């Protein structure tokens, strides 16, 4: 029998397990969100990328010195 100020160890394990499950689910959803694949999304979110578009002073093609 635990002392009055000691929590019962059998009651702590379900909370620890729940915290681990929630942490893993959050990590998986964050990874899916970062990759553009969230649950229920039929295909990845497409983002147009224009390399070198916003670099000041960039002229294409670069002149030969």
């Amino acid at each position: 029998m635990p002392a009055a100020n000691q929590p019962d160890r059998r009651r702590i394990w379900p909370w620890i397990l729940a915290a681990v499950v929630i942490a893993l689910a959050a990590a998986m959803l964050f990874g899916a969100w970062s990759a553009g694949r969230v649950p229920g999304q039929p295909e990845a979110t497409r983002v147009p990328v224009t390399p070198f578009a916003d670099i000041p002073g960039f002229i294409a093609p670069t002149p030969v010195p």
Side-chain angles (χ1 to χ4, degrees), residues 44-50:
T45 304
R46 296 173 190 238
V47 179
V49 178
T50 54

Side-chain angles (χ1 to χ4, degrees), residues 5-65:
N5 60 355
Q6 294 285 332
D8 188 10
R9 291 187 187 271
R10 289 175 290 173
R11 297 175 123 194
I12 292 175
W13 285 109
W15 290 103
I16 292 173
L17 181 63
V20 169
V21 168
I22 290 171
L24 286 174
M28 291 172 59
L29 284 174
F30 178 75
W33 176 74
S34 297
R37 298 287 296 174
V38 292
Q41 187 177 16
E43 62 180 66
T45 304
R46 296 173 190 238
V47 179
V49 178
T50 54
F52 312 114
D54 296 327
I55 299 176
F58 182 79
I59 302 170
T62 306
V64 179

